[in-house]
Amino acid sequence: MDLGIAGRKAIVCASSRGLGRACAFRLAEAGCEVVVNGRDKAKTESTAAEIAKATGATVIPVVADVSTAAGQAALFAAIGEPDILVNNNAGPPFRDFRELDRQKMIDGVIANMVVAVELTQKVIDPMVRRKFGRIVNITSGSVKMPLAGLDLSSGARAGLTAFFAGVARSVAAHNITINFLLPGPFDTERLTTNIAANAKSKGIPLEQARAERMAVVPAKRFGTAEEFGAACAFLCSQQAGFITGQNLLMDGGQFQGAF
Ligand SMILES: NC(=O)c1ccc[n+]([C@@H]2O[C@H](COP(=O)([O-])OP(=O)(O)OC[C@H]3O[C@@H](n4cnc5c(N)ncnc54)[C@H](OP(=O)(O)O)[C@@H]3O)[C@@H](O)[C@H]2O)c1
């Protein structure tokens, strides 16, 4: 399927590995010029080179912390005014909520809510002028089905979801969509880290914790980053222009609800 976005410019935040990388790959495959971002220089540059080689697209590595003003400026300096913005960032570590002090809570809200709002503020008016914009926010299945220990992540991301619910409607007439992808368990380093923390807290082997985590997924497997990236690219497509303000849960059926 031709997604109709060849030649569009895309910034994919936090995309040197995992789900962000997969989104960047699929957008590059669709013919976009893509900014790939991460804090680790070697990894960010090697990912950009791999995606460029595999897709033939222009892929620009930007080594920057997306949570900082300087990092955000570096993203825009690399590509100018993007048509597509994929908001992504690291999630806070697994932690009992009693251990969260004020600074940790503020940092978590900045990382998983404020940064996405700041970046959207910067892209939205140029998108309105060009009458095209696609914004995808990578949040989490925990927005719908919270997981104790990831409370800060769930809270900040649910806040972002509510924040953008109104914004999405306010720009829809300009062919701008704002949607959310809610990953359940996807086989990335982040998932492995969470499973390891769970194994440690329960005092069980890592493999057992991994099997237990997989057993509760009706699909009986973890999602692949490729599946995630494909969904992201579709939400960024020309054809998805009538889908906005929506939360797409990708969890292999784990959330037990019809809606
Ligand atoms: N995988 C899952 O099953 C799952 C489930 C629910 C929610 N999520 C959420 O989905 C998001 C992506 O998860 P993932 O599994 O793809 O994570 P991941 O494999 O750990 O990858 C995280 C990526 O973000 C980059 N990054 C982290 N902090 C950054 C920062 N401040 N500035 C710029 N880049 C940064 C990392 O590169 P550097 O470290 O080099 O900066 C890396 O490229 C996270 O918010 C995660 O909490 C994931």
Side-chain angles (χ1 to χ4, degrees), residues 9-213:
K9 292 179 177 191
I11 292 177
V12 185
C13 305
S15 52
S16 62
R17 291 181 276 116
L19 303 180
R21 182 192 191 281
C23 296
F25 191 101
R26 291 288 188 163
L27 289 170
E29 201 175 51
C32 296
E33 182 183 339
V34 181
V35 162
V36 159
N37 161 242
R39 292 162 301 175
D40 183 279
K41 186 172 189 293
K43 186 66 193 154
T44 305
E45 290 180 352
S46 66
T47 293
E50 283 159 22
I51 297 176
K53 188 171 177 213
T55 63
T58 301
V59 184
I60 307 159
V62 175
V63 181
D65 181 341
V66 72
S67 295
T68 65
Q72 294 178 16
L75 293 174
F76 292 108
I79 203 164
E81 295 180 347
D83 305 292
I84 293 168
L85 170 67
V86 179
N87 283 315
N88 187 31
N89 204 349
F94 205 88
R95 193 181 264 134
D96 187 286
F97 87 97
R98 294 170 189 80
E99 296 167 21
L100 295 170
D101 60 23
R102 174 174 285 213
Q103 194 55 52
K104 287 193 180 87
M105 287 190 260
I106 290 171
D107 290 346
V109 171
I110 289 174
N112 292 131
M113 179 179 174
V114 174
V115 170
V117 175
E118 287 174 336
L119 290 169
T120 301
Q121 286 174 324
K122 289 172 182 141
V123 301
I124 206 81
D125 289 333
M127 286 179 175
V128 167
R129 278 200 300 279
R130 289 194 306 278
K131 297 276 179 246
F132 183 92
R134 298 286 183 265
I135 300 172
V136 174
N137 301 284
I138 300 179
T139 62
S140 173
S142 72
V143 169
K144 283 191 79 135
M145 198 168 71
L147 194 62
L150 289 177
D151 317 282
L152 182 54
S153 162
S154 310
R157 296 177 204 267
L160 179 70
T161 308
F163 191 110
F164 278 158
V167 177
R169 275 78 186 178
S170 76
V171 293
H174 303 285
N175 189 23
I176 298 170
T177 67
I178 304 181
N179 290 294
F180 306 85
L181 280 175
L182 283 60
F186 276 81
D187 215 351
T188 66
E189 288 175 35
R190 162 83 178 172
L191 182 69
T192 305
T193 306
N194 284 348
I195 290 174
N198 190 27
K200 194 174 166 203
S201 77
K202 285 183 175 166
I204 58 174
L206 182 63
E207 270 319 303
Q208 185 183 338
R210 195 176 156 83
E212 286 178 4
R213 182 74 186 84

Side-chain angles (χ1 to χ4, degrees), residues 198-253:
N198 190 27
K200 194 174 166 203
S201 77
K202 285 183 175 166
I204 58 174
L206 182 63
E207 270 319 303
Q208 185 183 338
R210 195 176 156 83
E212 286 178 4
R213 182 74 186 84
M214 208 178 275
V216 298
V217 181
K220 300 299 173 204
R221 66 175 178 89
F222 296 143
T224 68
E226 291 71 24
E227 292 171 310
F228 192 88
C232 176
F234 178 72
L235 286 177
C236 296
S237 72
Q238 194 71 46
Q239 294 90 333
F242 208 49
I243 302 173
T244 196
Q246 298 305 302
N247 288 276
L248 177 58
L249 181 61
M250 299 179 71
D251 70 348

